[in-house]
Amino acid sequence: MKRILIISVFAMIGLAGCSDKHSEPNIEPVQNMMKAPSMKAQGEDLDAPDKRGMRLPPEGTVPQGWEPYAVDDFDVANNTVKNPVPASKEVLAHGQKLYLTYCSVCHGTLGAGDGPVAPKMLLTPPSLTSEKIVGWNDGGIYHLITRGRGLMGSYESQVPKPNDRWAIVHYVRHLQQNNKK
Ligand code: HEC
């Protein structure tokens, strides 16, 4: 009897939190989680040692889907790293989306090196449809996206999944076939 009484008291407390009137706030028996302080992206956190609201990832951790890329030398990559992703309509569409997001500002929508940022750069981004890049293997283009070179930074953190970078390589090939310069 006593147990039933205790259970019903708990059930009543639980149900007291439910309301079908959405304009009225529910009863919040435990408020700590509802009222927890929240950080805005780029915001300041006065309690953090470096005052940054956004934390650096713990040392030795990697983003989901990230795979180490161990090749340091361009020629090694160009000659030995093979494209593991077969070309398909879907891969091309995906590569196009990524290319337009991450590459076209400099290299132009058709890869001619004439994106809107290009005139403002010290070194004009080269055309990706030149004889030179047409002559590179997929591994070379992949290496350049992953490692960057000179004034072009690495795009590994913006495009962390290897297959996404290979999709961009396919799209660059597509641009080369359709817009030779
Ligand atoms: C901020 C502008 C910028 C963006 C964005 C950019 N690049 Fe570049 N890219 C450059 C510049 C500048 C160079 C020349 C680098 C150097 O030699 O100093 C270059 C070089 C290259 C080269 C070698 C070209 C050659 O003739 O040697 C390839 C391939 C390339 N980029 C592909 C890409 C791809 C693919 C993306 C998108 C993931 C991308 N780039 C994003 C500016 C950019």
Side-chain angles (χ1 to χ4, degrees), residues 98-99 101-107 117-118 121 123-128 130 132-133 136 140-142 144-145 148-153 155 159 168-169 172:
L98 294 168
Y99 178 89
T101 306
Y102 296 108
C103 320
S104 66
V105 281
C106 288
H107 290 285
V117 169
M121 287 194 77
L123 176 71
T124 310
S127 159
L128 300 182
S130 65
K132 177 181 153 193
I133 308 301
W136 284 10
I141 301 176
Y142 180 82
L144 222 112
I145 300 173
R149 189 188 75 205
L151 281 187
M152 178 181 148
Y155 278 78
V159 194
I168 298 179
V169 173
V172 170

Side-chain angles (χ1 to χ4, degrees), residues 60-78:
T61 59
V62 295
Q64 227 181 11
W66 184 85
E67 282 172 34
Y69 176 71
V71 185
D72 285 322
D73 186 72
F74 172 82
D75 289 325
V76 173
N78 195 37

